[in-house]
Amino acid sequence: MSVHKEIRKVTTHVLLEMKLRGEKISMLTAYDFSMARLVDEARMDVILVGDSASNVMAGNETTLPITLDQMIYHGKSVVKGVKRALVVVDMPFGTYQGNSKEAVQSAIRIMKETHADAVKLEGGKEIIESVNRIISAGIPVMGHLGLMPQSIHKYGTYVVRAKEDEEAKKLISDAKLLEEAGCFAIVLEKIPASLGEKVSSELKTPIIGIGAGGGVDGQVLVIHDMLGITQEFSPRFLRRYHNLAAEIKGAVGAYIEDVKSKDFPNDKEQY
Ligand code: KIV
C-alpha cells in the first residue's frame, strides 16, 4: 500500500457537488509560485490568478493595463505551486471584448502556456459570443458580474452595483445567460446580499461572492487584502486575517538594524 495520501484535484464537477451538498467554496487569489504553494497546502478549493495582479503586483491604479503575456507569466508560476486547487486565470482587459475569435485565441494561449484549469471573463450579454466560443473549444469558463473592475471607466466609481431594480434584473438575466452557455461558476462582486442570495438560489451554477453577502455558494478575496499587506483598501466586505504589512516592516527593520550594528552575521552564520 502506498504511504502517500492521494490528492483529489478539485475540478469544476467537484464545485457543483459542493453546491449540491451545501458545502461553501473557498477561493483566494495568488500570483506567484511560493504563495500559491502555501495557499494550496492550506487546502483552498479555487485559486484565482486575478488581474488584480495589475494592482497588487504591478502597482497600477486599475486592472486595465495588465497584458496577456503578464497574466500568462503569473498563471504559469501559480500552476507550478499547486497540486490540489482548481486554478483559474483572469482574461485581461482587451483580450476578449473585441471579437469572439480573438477571445478564443487568448483563452487557448492561457490554457496552453499556463496549464491552468479555466479562465474568467467579466460581463454578461455583451460578451456571450466569446463565452460560447471559448466553452466550445473545451475551455471551462468562470463568469464575473456585478462590479466589474475592467469597466471602471464606464462606472466612474467602485460603489455597490445593482442596487436599483433595472440593474439587478440585468444582472439576473446575465447570470442565467452565463449558466445556459455552460459557465461552471460565476463571481458576483459588490452587490446587495439579497441579490446574491437570489441569484444563488435561482441558478444551479455555483456563485462565488466578493462583497455579495453570505447567501452565495462561496467566497473570494484578494490575498494581499486579507493578509493585510495592502493597507489603503478597506471596503466593508474585507475581513483582514493578519497585519502582514506591520510584520514585514518589523522584520525588515530588525534586519537593517542588525546589519548596521554588525550583529549580523554572527560567528555561526558564516563559513
Ligand atoms: O482580479 C481579481 O482578483 C478578481 C477578484 C476580485 C474576484 O477578479
Side-chain angles (χ1 to χ4, degrees):
M1 198 175 73
S2 164
V3 287
H4 298 290
K5 225 173 145 193
E6 184 94 358
I7 294 175
R8 188 185 176 205
K9 174 89 182 159
V10 179
T11 62
T12 57
H13 295 284
V14 169
L15 301 186
L16 206 60
E17 285 165 19
M18 289 171 78
K19 172 156 183 161
L20 284 173
R21 64 171 181 267
E23 180 183 341
K24 298 281 186 185
I25 297 163
S26 59
M27 173 164 148
L28 198 57
T29 65
Y31 316 98
D32 66 88
F33 167 79
S34 304
M35 194 66 95
R37 188 160 65 171
L38 294 175
V39 172
D40 190 51
E41 284 173 0
R43 293 186 71 79
M44 190 62 55
D45 297 318
V46 184
I47 295 182
L48 172 66
V49 185
D51 59 356
S52 47
S54 178
N55 309 102
V56 298
M57 301 301 288
N60 294 312
E61 281 281 313
T62 72
T63 58
L64 275 71
I66 200 157
T67 64
L68 188 55
D69 284 340
Q70 288 166 337
M71 287 306 297
I72 287 172
Y73 167 81
H74 289 296
K76 261 187 198 168
S77 313
V78 165
V79 167
K80 284 185 208 151
V82 174
K83 292 196 172 94
R84 177 182 171 273
L86 182 95
V87 179
V88 182
V89 176
D90 258 339
M91 294 189 61
F93 176 67
T95 63
Y96 61 93
Q97 294 93 342
N99 64 66
S100 60
K101 186 171 173 214
E102 191 189 354
V104 79
Q105 281 167 349
S106 311
I108 287 173
R109 264 202 73 194
I110 291 176
M111 298 301 282
K112 260 188 182 304
E113 296 179 39
T114 68
H115 301 174
D117 302 302
V119 296
K120 176 163 82 60
L121 285 74
E122 293 181 9
K125 190 164 176 249
E126 305 76 14
I127 56 140
I128 204 67
E129 200 183 308
S130 295
V131 171
N132 279 321
R133 204 148 164 190
I134 295 170
I135 293 176
S136 300
I139 301 171
V141 171
M142 177 179 270
H144 184 150
L145 298 170
L147 177 66
M148 294 177 277
Q150 290 180 10
S151 302
I152 187 59
H153 295 302
K154 184 170 101 184
Y155 309 133
T157 153
Y158 286 99
V159 295
V160 180
R161 305 302 312 177
K163 278 169 100 174
E164 308 300 330
D165 264 10
E166 200 179 326
E167 198 180 335
K169 273 190 199 145
K170 163 136 172 60
L171 187 145
I172 295 169
S173 121
D174 279 343
K176 288 184 175 164
L177 263 184
L178 292 174
E179 174 164 281
E180 277 163 30
C183 285
F184 70 89
I186 301 170
V187 167
L188 294 184
E189 181 164 351
K190 215 168 179 188
I191 59 164
S194 55
L195 180 59
E197 191 170 357
K198 184 171 165 62
V199 176
S200 170
S201 68
E202 289 187 13
L203 267 69
K204 291 195 177 70
T205 309
I207 304 297
I208 319 246
I210 173 163
V216 291
D217 309 302
Q219 299 294 329
V220 55
L221 285 175
V222 168
I223 192 161
H224 287 63
D225 299 335
M226 61 83 78
L227 290 179
I229 298 172
T230 49
Q231 293 169 300
E232 58 290 342
F233 182 65
S234 258
R236 188 200 293 195
F237 67 74
L238 174 61
R239 185 179 292 182
R240 284 195 209 285
Y241 288 83
H242 221 300
N243 185 355
L244 266 195
E247 299 235 0
I248 291 172
K249 284 192 235 172
V252 171
Y255 167 69
I256 294 171
E257 220 175 279
D258 289 351
V259 170
K260 302 273 180 198
S261 67
K262 302 179 189 157
D263 177 77
F264 177 78
N266 66 25
D267 289 348
K268 288 185 191 147
E269 290 164 330
Q270 48 193 307
Y271 302 99

